[in-house]
Amino acid sequence: MSPTSLIFNVHRHEPELITPAKPTPHEFKPLSDLDDQDTLRVHIPVIQFYPYNPSMDGVDPVKLIRKAISETLVFYYPFAGRLREGPSRKLTVECTGEGILFVEADADVSLHQFNYPLLPPFPCFDQLVFGVTAFHGILHSPLLLVQVTRLNCGGFILGLLLNHTMSDAAGLVQFISAVGEIARGSISPTVLPTWERHVLISQNPPQLTSLLPEFDIDVTAKHPTFPPDLCCQSFFFGATEISALRRTIPQHLRNCSSFEIVTACVWKCRIVALQVDSGEETSVYWPVNLRNKLKHLIPPGYYGNAIVFSMSNSTAKEIIENPLSYALQLVRNGKDKVNEEYVRSVTDMMVVNERRPRLPRSMSRYTESDLRYAGFEDVDFGWGKAVYGGPAFCAPVCLFHMPFKNKNEQDGIMLPVSLPSQAMERFTKELNSLLTL
């Protein structure tokens, strides 16, 4: 049985609010100008799968994680608050202590029934991450939703729905790792949280010194619509595949990173697969983690959005007709331009343009995000590491580079791709042709 055809029942208890275990300050904490851009005003579903561990016999993961969340919220009390919007769409957290939303659940299925490998899309996904289809409120609502689902085998599934304005992937992993530490007996997190959102607010006065073609400034722009026949397939890029791609590019580009060459390859294959009109502008975006790039700016323990989006763009004709090295050079140029001046220009634009603009998204303008080092799978509540940790969905305009070991124990990148069925066939054919040049 394939995992996507697996059907099972999930019994959910009534949702409850988990509040901090101790009184916390009632105060207002403005988000940064990177946090409250329109692109991040969404909920992101994340899912973690944990197998049975005999050393945890008799321990209820629901009770343990519920208690650990309450104690962790003493340190991360803004998560227990609610988001308010002020003039010019500026977002602020009111630290009310109301709590995050928590759901206890049981499923009549065992982990082994999901089969290998565990990759999105997951069966009965909308029953494993509470609110994924019904919960849409960004303002005045819980900032984090958590569901813990017990499995027949003694394992469990942790599903989360994050208000993305509060944290990026690194910030969310920092929080749930703290929950894991406290669940395992610590009295406080190893990494203490730092708010400090002022380090990523606009200058006074704003100074737009970098060109920012990444952002859509058309006030009539709409959210993308997608074909009805989307299907998802995952592609593995290990040492063999990366080496094959490197052999197709000039010597001076062969020091590129795995992320760069896979992004260029997928961009080219995607445009071929979608049969984009030759004169149409296409774009690939990616978030750049500022924690490593601007260490002097981002303090340890910062759990806000320390990312900016960079991009490369080109006409479909140029991507299709040129060798892979053309797309690769564009990706490298896009990565190189991200510096502190660029970051300041992005934060300033969010204030100058009161719409706090979003990235344009379509089937030919999409995002690739590198989550290989985010650490979702390392979060341990006492049952050991997750057998899968990361995005809970396979999206047509957001592709995730996931860490993965294949059946031969080779490390590499697993990339779930969502395309219309006929386009998927063309994508696979184009990819195979690049790998066998």
Side-chain angles (χ1 to χ4, degrees):
M1 178 182 293
S2 69
T4 51
S5 64
L6 177 64
I7 297 175
F8 52 89
N9 296 309
V10 178
H11 171 68
R12 286 173 169 152
H13 295 237
E14 285 297 314
E16 59 183 295
L17 287 170
I18 299 181
T19 58
K22 299 177 182 177
T24 54
H26 182 261
E27 57 190 1
F28 290 83
K29 288 183 169 290
L31 294 182
S32 80
D33 288 314
L34 290 186
D35 289 324
D36 61 11
Q37 58 184 292
D38 197 68
T39 297
L40 301 182
R41 297 184 184 216
V42 294
H43 287 96
I44 300 295
V46 171
I47 197 164
Q48 314 273 111
F49 289 81
Y50 291 91
Y52 166 71
N53 185 332
S55 70
M56 300 299 286
D57 270 347
V59 180
D60 183 356
V62 170
K63 292 180 180 178
L64 183 66
I65 294 173
R66 181 197 284 121
K67 182 174 184 293
I69 288 174
S70 179
E71 294 176 5
T72 306
L73 285 175
V74 174
F75 301 93
Y76 287 85
Y77 63 89
F79 266 128
R82 298 295 182 264
L83 212 56
R84 315 300 188 203
E85 187 177 64
S88 303
R89 301 191 73 204
K90 181 63 191 170
L91 295 178
T92 297
V93 178
E94 183 181 358
C95 300
T96 61
E98 291 174 77
I100 70 168
L101 204 60
F102 183 86
V103 175
E104 173 184 352
D106 295 275
D108 60 354
V109 67
S110 296
L111 185 57
H112 70 84
Q113 291 178 258
F114 284 82
N115 291 348
Y116 176 90
L118 272 170
L119 291 168
F122 297 106
C124 303
F125 160 61
D126 59 343
Q127 298 184 59
L128 297 173
V129 182
F130 177 76
V132 72
T133 55
F135 195 87
H136 301 291
I138 294 295
L139 302 174
H140 316 300
S141 301
L143 298 173
L144 188 64
L145 292 81
V146 178
Q147 177 174 324
V148 181
T149 305
R150 305 181 192 90
L151 303 176
N152 283 343
C153 58
F156 66 94
I157 298 172
L158 179 79
L160 304 104
L161 198 66
L162 169 72
N163 185 322
H164 202 342
T165 63
M166 285 294 290
S167 297
D168 55 16
L172 177 60
V173 169
Q174 182 180 310
F175 172 74
I176 57 176
S177 295
V179 175
E181 287 185 303
I182 289 177
R184 301 196 315 270
S186 295
I187 60 173
S188 66
T190 300
V191 179
L192 292 174
T194 302
W195 185 259
E196 302 296 330
R197 306 288 171 116
H198 66 274
V199 301
L200 292 172
I201 64 170
S202 65
Q203 302 170 97
N204 188 14
Q207 301 175 42
L208 299 180
T209 56
S210 295
L211 295 175
L212 301 171
E214 288 78 4
F215 290 91
D216 168 31
I217 58 172
D218 178 5
V219 295
T220 65
K222 298 179 180 179
H223 290 285
T225 56
F226 305 116
D229 62 333
L230 289 172
C231 63
C232 185
Q233 185 173 335
S234 292
F235 297 88
F236 179 73
F237 294 87
T240 301
E241 291 76 15
I242 299 295
S243 295
L245 293 175
R246 287 189 200 278
R247 288 195 295 270
T248 70
I249 59 178
Q251 190 67 40
H252 72 280
L253 289 174
R254 290 186 183 178
N255 64 341
C256 62
S257 69
S258 297
F259 175 78
E260 290 168 346
I261 198 166
V262 171
T263 297
C265 170
V266 172
W267 186 14
K268 183 176 178 68
C269 293
R270 187 181 177 91
I271 298 309
V272 170
L274 291 169
Q275 298 181 327
V276 179
D277 290 343
S278 61
E280 183 177 333
E281 285 287 323
T282 74
S283 308
V284 57
Y285 306 87
W286 57 88
V288 178
N289 189 343
L290 304 179
R291 290 172 178 82
N292 295 325
K293 203 168 185 71
L294 301 177
K295 290 183 178 180
H296 66 284
L297 189 65
I298 311 299
Y302 188 87
Y303 63 101
N305 287 283
I307 54 173
V308 293
F309 287 89
S310 188
M311 62 93 77
S312 296
N313 70 314
S314 177
T315 64
K317 178 183 175 68
E318 290 171 317
I319 293 293
I320 293 169
E321 295 185 355
N322 279 293
L324 179 61
S325 57
Y326 172 79
L328 175 59
Q329 186 64 67
L330 291 177
V331 171
R332 300 198 81 185
N333 292 346
K335 287 186 70 177
D336 289 344
K337 73 180 181 182
V338 177
N339 53 27
E340 186 167 351
E341 180 183 352
Y342 177 86
V343 173
R344 292 301 182 193
S345 289
V346 173
T347 58
D348 289 355
M349 186 187 60
M350 294 301 155
V351 174
V352 171
N353 185 334
E354 294 184 0
R355 278 196 321 116
R356 301 186 178 270
R358 66 177 182 268
L359 299 176
R361 296 280 177 85
S362 69
M363 292 300 287
S364 60
R365 295 180 181 268
Y366 73 104
T367 299
E368 295 201 31
S369 183
D370 189 357
L371 294 181
R372 288 175 295 162
Y373 310 108
F376 283 108
E377 69 281 358
D378 294 327
V379 176
D380 181 2
F381 299 99
W383 281 258
K385 294 183 179 182
V387 292
Y388 174 90
F393 60 98
C394 187
V397 293
C398 193
L399 281 62
F400 298 101
H401 293 223
M402 304 292 298
F404 194 79
K405 282 184 183 291
N406 66 10
K407 291 184 177 180
N408 298 321
E409 291 298 305
Q410 294 175 322
D411 289 315
I413 299 169
M414 186 62 81
L415 193 72
V417 175
S418 179
L419 289 169
S421 54
Q422 289 189 341
M424 186 66 78
E425 294 177 11
R426 293 189 290 268
F427 181 94
T428 304
K429 181 179 178 181
E430 180 67 16
L431 176 59
N432 289 336
S433 70
L434 289 175
L435 293 174
T436 54
L437 283 177

